Amino acid sequence: MPMPAPLLVSTLLSIAALALPAQAQLPAQLPAQQAPGIADHMPAFQPALKARLTFPLAWSPQVKDISAWRAAGRAKVWEATLQTPDHTPFAPEVLAEQDRGAYVARDIVFNVNRDSRVRALLLAPKGAGPFPAALMLHDHGGKFDIGKEKVIAPWGDAARVVASQAWADKYFSGRHLGDELARRGYVVLAVDALGWGDRGPLTGDAQQALAANSFNLGTSLAGMMAQDDVRAAAFLAAQPQVDPRRVAAIGFSMGAYRAWQVAALSDAVTAVVAANWMATTEGLMVAGNNQLKGGSAWHMLHPGLVRYLDYPDIASLAAPKPALFLAGASDPLFPAASAQAAFNKMAPVWAAWQAQDRLETRMLPHAHVFPRATQDAAFDWLDQQFKQLTP
């Protein structure tokens, strides 16, 4: 006689429960046993993940060969960028020029990589040189219609002229950083990062798709930006008016990240000024921080690199080059305590190179801006560093 269905189900469940070892018994109330999954846009178990980040390639007093340490760190960063060496000829052309008194502004095109021929703005003092040079690296700011025009004043496009000046008013006390350096006698280059200006269009909402599609194509959005910046530095250093011993990378916000990154990766860069982008992973991966929103983070995310090096560790690969790092005490994006912790971690690396006098870190009484007085002090510092190398 067949067993009634309810009894059959009950019997099978009992047999299954008996067959399981004691520790594998199904909990009586699964929801009460379920751990939280996500909190503050992070895995709820993020403290455990953070605890596993020991940054084994960071400098430590146990390092015996600091040159070998730097070479290993650089190799790991390049591996994480997913890029391959690119020696494509730059093949520059001048599209237009504008006389700006003591210097000339040029609208140029050149091969920034094997796949992209891009427009750029180049400022050059009048005369034969050789002159010091500055690779100006623009910020993110959620504004994609201009890139290079955030740091060098454009011409010939009314909409960009207006947008450029508005950006300078918002963050730079109304001044275009590149033009100020050209007035000081620097050759200045600014290039759009992928997604900005002439290399767009990009929107905030589309950043995730662009990053994912880059991975699906075997490359990395952040890696492409890193390699483009290295190529731009090499192009600038090769200009006939430039003294290759005096080539600085300079940037604000994401541009600061790009500046210390290219200084770490490229021998063409001999000094760096980085304003308002330095902190530790521990200090950024906290509830409420802008880094947790995704968006802009994709441009600075090298897969798996944080398992080996923290942000200040990567920046320290630039040692023993002259380096100036600026932070705002009330910067809501990069908490002062985290920025200071990063500065403290970098200092021993320059000291290990016997170059502690070449690293300067400053905590300034402002927020996420690069105001005129701070610019002047930073550029004076750079002038002083390069003055020692004047031919």
Side-chain angles (χ1 to χ4, degrees):
M1 179 176 180
M3 186 179 295
L7 181 57
L8 176 60
V9 171
S10 176
T11 302
L12 290 174
L13 289 174
S14 298
I15 293 172
L18 289 171
L20 292 171
Q23 63 269 29
Q25 297 286 327
L26 294 173
Q29 294 182 334
L30 183 60
Q33 300 295 325
Q34 175 66 50
I38 297 174
D40 298 314
H41 302 298
M42 288 188 287
F45 45 89
Q46 55 88 8
L49 298 178
K50 283 183 179 179
R52 294 176 200 147
L53 297 177
T54 59
F55 311 116
L57 292 187
W59 182 87
S60 74
Q62 284 69 50
V63 170
K64 302 303 181 185
D65 186 337
I66 197 165
S67 294
W69 166 81
R70 182 176 61 182
R74 271 188 173 184
K76 180 56 68 176
V77 176
W78 276 118
E79 177 186 335
T81 67
L82 308 183
Q83 305 305 296
T84 56
D86 189 341
H87 304 292
T88 305
F90 297 117
E93 296 179 58
V94 177
L95 302 179
E97 288 189 355
Q98 184 185 58
D99 190 320
R100 295 187 177 176
Y103 62 98
V104 176
R106 296 188 177 102
D107 184 0
I108 67 170
V109 291
F110 75 102
N111 298 323
V112 74
N113 59 54
R114 61 174 64 89
D115 301 312
S116 299
R117 187 165 178 79
V118 303
R119 291 179 67 182
L121 293 175
L122 180 70
L123 308 179
K126 293 178 180 178
F131 300 108
L135 176 62
M136 293 299 310
L137 298 152
H138 69 75
D139 56 72
H140 186 292
K143 186 172 180 59
F144 303 97
D145 58 324
I146 55 172
K148 57 190 179 295
E149 298 85 1
K150 292 180 176 181
V151 290
I152 292 179
W155 75 99
D157 183 322
R160 286 189 177 182
V161 169
V162 171
S164 173
Q165 188 58 55
W167 201 255
D169 292 342
K170 184 175 182 179
Y171 290 105
F172 309 132
S173 301
R175 175 191 275 177
H176 289 91
L177 305 179
D179 288 84
E180 174 59 23
L181 281 165
R183 283 188 284 270
R184 286 175 174 248
Y186 285 72
V187 177
V188 182
L189 176 69
V191 185
D192 293 321
L194 182 62
W196 276 265
D198 293 306
R199 300 184 74 189
L202 183 62
T203 65
D205 291 342
Q207 291 175 105
Q208 179 177 337
L210 178 61
N213 291 331
S214 297
F215 287 134
N216 284 331
L217 293 167
T219 187
S220 156
L221 181 59
M224 288 189 285
M225 185 171 73
Q227 186 170 60
D228 284 354
D229 290 344
V230 167
R231 288 268 300 169
F235 171 70
L236 177 60
Q239 295 309 296
Q241 287 180 287
V242 169
D243 178 358
R245 300 173 305 160
R246 298 183 290 161
V247 179
I250 303 174
F252 162 74
S253 195
M254 184 185 77
Y257 170 94
R258 297 168 65 193
W260 55 252
Q261 177 175 254
V262 73
L265 293 176
S266 172
D267 290 331
V269 174
T270 62
V272 58
V273 176
N276 295 76
W277 207 117
M278 178 48 67
T280 63
T281 296
E282 174 70 26
L284 291 182
M285 300 302 289
V286 295
N289 189 271
N290 188 66
Q291 192 84 342
L292 272 58
K293 297 177 182 178
S296 63
W298 288 108
H299 302 272
M300 295 158 277
L301 178 59
H302 300 301
L305 185 56
V306 74
R307 295 175 61 187
Y308 301 94
L309 295 161
D310 201 355
Y311 297 118
D313 304 324
I314 301 168
S316 294
L317 298 173
K321 300 170 184 178
L324 174 61
F325 288 84
L326 308 173
S330 56
D331 190 333
L333 304 183
F334 299 93
S338 184
Q340 190 60 58
F343 294 164
N344 293 344
K345 194 175 189 185
M346 291 189 292
V349 184
W350 266 261
W353 283 100
Q354 303 298 310
Q356 53 266 40
D357 58 326
R358 296 184 188 173
L359 173 66
E360 188 159 344
T361 60
R362 300 175 185 173
M363 186 66 65
L364 302 167
H366 54 63
H368 197 68
V369 291
F370 190 20
R372 182 179 294 253
T374 304
Q375 296 167 35
D376 288 341
F379 298 159
D380 287 347
W381 174 89
L382 184 61
D383 288 343
Q384 187 60 37
Q385 300 302 313
F386 282 168
K387 186 177 181 180
Q388 304 171 37
L389 299 174
T390 301

